[in-house]
Amino acid sequence: MEKEKTLISESVVSKPEGQNTEEIENFVEVNEAWTIPSHFDKNKKPTKGCHIRVLRKGYYHHGIYKDKKHVYHLTGEFNPLKMKDAKPECTSLDEFLDKGTLEVRVYTEEQKKLKLPVAEILANAEKIISPDIEGNHIFKGYNLFTYNCECVANACVFIKDLGKKVRDYALILAFNKQDNK
């Protein structure tokens, strides 16, 4: 695949052929928005499409609240040898919580401007759990730094027309940030 280099937000991004600069700039803006520190509230009642998390043994697990009984999230064994098999699924809220306490993300004003409407968030979550026409999960796998449960939840909340390019750009941005340090 032929690539060209584009300077965006002080980092060099390899732009896949066929992607326009506006799409990449929008992705970079959204990527920066989801890295703005925000907090989670244990006392806030979850609503459809909200980003939730639960404290597990030494880490937070993130997902998208579907309804009183279901959550979209990246699932799999927390085992380095099996992380490549992790995939997004819709499971029960009880399974997601695993006896932990639900926390609801509280967005900053800047993040609220970029956050998608609930219907689009839920549509994105459905897209990530659905296999492609060949039965493959596009969003399968796990990487602690570039593709994890929090990345999946953020992508559902912020990325319009979610697709494979989200994961590709997230990886490109992560590698470029490492190269620029």
Side-chain angles (χ1 to χ4, degrees):
M1 177 185 289
E2 183 180 317
K3 294 184 179 185
E4 72 181 69
K5 297 287 184 175
T6 305
L7 185 62
I8 298 174
S9 296
E10 301 177 9
S11 64
V12 177
V13 176
S14 299
K15 184 175 89 167
E17 187 177 340
Q19 292 300 129
N20 67 43
T21 303
E22 186 178 312
E23 286 176 321
I24 294 174
E25 287 172 345
N26 180 55
F27 178 78
V28 170
E29 180 182 46
V30 167
N31 184 51
E32 289 171 353
W34 81 37
T35 59
I36 294 170
S38 57
H39 72 278
F40 288 78
D41 187 340
K42 293 178 184 178
N43 299 313
K44 188 172 180 180
K45 185 177 178 183
T47 57
K48 286 185 178 187
C50 70
H51 180 162
I52 60 174
R53 75 177 186 184
V54 61
L55 182 61
R56 295 227 176 129
K57 298 172 187 161
Y59 70 97
Y60 281 103
H61 186 55
H62 296 255
I64 298 294
Y65 185 84
K66 179 179 180 182
D67 56 38
K68 291 179 181 179
K69 295 184 178 183
H70 300 95
V71 177
Y72 298 101
H73 60 115
L74 193 60
T75 64
E77 271 186 63
F78 196 71
N79 175 332
L81 301 175
K82 296 188 178 188
M83 288 184 174
K84 67 180 182 355
D85 297 327
K87 66 180 180 182
E89 291 183 325
C90 183
T91 65
S92 73
L93 180 59
D94 288 340
E95 181 181 329
F96 174 82
L97 291 174
D98 193 22
K99 299 179 183 158
T101 302
L102 179 89
E103 297 180 24
V104 177
R105 186 170 183 178
V106 178
Y107 294 98
T108 65
E109 290 305 315
E110 186 176 347
Q111 291 167 331
K112 287 177 186 176
K113 292 175 190 172
L114 295 167
K115 187 175 175 264
L116 296 173
V118 171
E120 287 185 57
I121 294 168
L122 293 173
N124 278 345
E126 281 294 325
K127 286 178 192 174
I128 65 164
I129 67 168
S130 302
D132 64 17
I133 197 163
E134 297 170 353
N136 300 312
H137 282 272
I138 294 172
F139 292 94
K140 187 176 177 182
Y142 181 89
N143 181 295
L144 180 61
F145 302 105
T146 60
Y147 184 69
N148 56 52
C149 57
E150 186 174 11
C151 293
V152 170
N154 280 322
C156 289
V157 170
F158 291 114
I159 303 294
K160 190 169 184 65
D161 301 322
L162 184 63
K164 184 178 182 301
K165 66 184 178 186
V166 173
R167 187 168 181 200
D168 293 344
Y169 286 146
L171 292 172
I172 289 167
L173 289 171
F175 288 129
N176 283 326
K177 284 180 184 177
Q178 290 175 356
D179 291 343
N180 291 329
K181 286 185 177 180

